[in-house]
């Protein structure tokens, strides 16, 4: 595809609806507020991160989601997902699809989203087909209490705990959330003993509020 729009580095202001080829790490600085318009696609052309320190409003619509994915579906250098730091409820993801993120063992947790001390609002978000070599294939939450409403977490893999969602000292609110078809895979496991990890949801010193939420068909259960 021929992209007239290439992005990397610091974002600012409003990102107008378009398809963008991402050619480097993306950053929202602590003092900035960035809005991404509905219908926008960020397609990453390499192993780049999306780091959020400021406020990010990703506002799709029911018929026009905002998509974060790889430029090439079968790439050997996938993008590295989101990293949120010290986010408040001013950061909102609404009608968003996050796919194809990957973090290796050096890059931390949360293949799709890694949250640190963050309390954003996620509504109508689908987080699918992300991988981490650590914990939280879909999302990893550390000291974070987001509100998640109508969120789907599926087809994630973690090589440690929590294929779908990993909670560490975190108390999120999960309403109408589906966590399905996720896996935690310990490469040293030979199948003879009980696995010590959780495929769908893993909690460590965490007390989530869970309402009308489905957790099914994850490995291990």
């Amino acid at each position: 595809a021929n992209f007239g729009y290439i992005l990397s580095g610091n974002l600012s202001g409003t990102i107008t609806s378009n398809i963008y080829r991402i050619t480097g790490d993306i950053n929202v600085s602590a003092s900035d507020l960035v809005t991404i318009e509905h219908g926008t696609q960020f397609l990453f052309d390499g192993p780049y991160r999306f780091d959020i320190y400021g406020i990010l409003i990703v506002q799709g619509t029911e018929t026009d989601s905002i998509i974060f994915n790889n430029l090439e579906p079968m790439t050997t250098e996938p993008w590295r997902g989101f990293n949120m730091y010290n986010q408040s409820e001013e950061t909102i993801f609404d009608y968003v699809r996050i796919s194809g993120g990957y973090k290796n063992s050096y890059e931390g947790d949360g293949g799709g989203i890694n949250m640190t001390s963050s309390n954003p609002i996620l509504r109508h978000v689908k987080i699918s087909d992300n991988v981490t070599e650590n914990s939280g294939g879909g999302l990893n939450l550390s000291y974070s209490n987001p509100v998640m409403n109508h969120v789907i977490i599926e087809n994630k893999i973690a090589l440690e705990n929590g294929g779908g969602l990993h909670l560490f000292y975190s108390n999120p609110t999960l309403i109408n959330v589906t966590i399905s078809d996720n896996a935690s895979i310990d490469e040293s496991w030979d199948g003879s003993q009980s696995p010590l990890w959780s495929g769908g949801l893993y909690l460590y010193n965490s007390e989530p509020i869970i309402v009308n939420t489905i957790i099914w068909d994850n490995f291990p259960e």
Side-chain angles (χ1 to χ4, degrees):
N2 181 24
F3 290 93
Y5 302 93
I6 292 177
L7 276 181
S8 67
N10 278 328
L11 301 185
S12 61
T14 298
I15 309 299
T16 54
S17 182
N18 243 310
I19 300 175
Y20 296 93
R21 176 181 161 202
I22 309 303
T23 58
D25 291 340
I26 295 285
N27 186 62
V28 177
S29 296
S31 59
D32 286 342
L33 188 158
V34 174
T35 302
I36 300 178
E37 291 188 336
H38 64 86
T40 296
Q41 296 186 41
F42 274 39
L43 302 180
F44 288 77
D45 196 10
Y48 307 123
R49 304 155 52 106
F50 195 136
D51 292 337
I52 308 168
Y53 297 91
I55 299 168
L56 179 62
I57 299 173
V58 188
Q59 187 61 61
T61 67
E62 188 173 0
T63 56
D64 215 3
S65 292
I66 295 172
I67 293 171
F68 299 91
N69 206 340
N70 293 300
L71 180 65
E72 303 292 341
M74 301 301 291
T75 180
T76 57
E77 290 290 350
W79 78 294
R80 294 327 202 214
F82 284 95
N83 299 288
M84 297 184 177
Y85 304 95
N86 305 310
Q87 294 297 298
S88 74
E89 64 279 355
E90 292 178 278
T91 286
I92 297 171
F93 281 39
D94 196 9
Y95 291 107
V96 176
R97 301 208 299 263
I98 298 167
S99 304
Y102 173 84
K103 284 190 175 78
N104 66 32
S105 57
Y106 304 105
E107 290 166 327
D109 303 303
I113 301 176
N114 189 41
M115 293 185 196
T116 305
S117 301
S118 291
N119 310 316
I121 295 172
L122 276 57
R123 295 188 297 245
H124 309 106
V125 176
K126 184 176 182 179
I127 303 169
S128 59
D129 301 303
N130 302 285
V131 176
T132 178
E133 294 182 9
N134 295 304
S135 297
L139 293 94
N140 180 68
L141 275 54
S142 297
Y143 302 97
S144 295
N145 310 311
V147 176
M148 300 165 58
N149 197 334
H150 289 94
V151 173
I152 296 171
I153 305 169
E154 66 180 14
N155 305 319
K156 315 297 179 308
I157 296 174
L159 296 191
E160 293 181 7
N161 273 307
L165 178 59
H166 183 265
L167 305 181
F168 182 84
Y169 290 97
S170 294
N171 307 314
T173 300
L174 310 181
I175 306 169
N176 301 311
V177 172
T178 300
I179 303 173
S180 65
D181 296 312
N182 303 288
S184 291
I185 301 167
D186 181 342
E187 291 174 317
S188 65
W189 185 56
D190 63 8
S192 63
Q193 75 276 37
S194 291
L196 300 175
W197 63 99
S198 165
L201 174 63
Y202 181 88
L203 284 71
Y204 182 89
N205 279 33
S206 297
E207 296 181 358
I209 297 168
I210 299 177
V211 180
N212 199 31
T213 286
I214 298 168
I215 302 173
W216 71 289
D217 202 19
N218 300 288
F219 177 82
E221 287 296 340

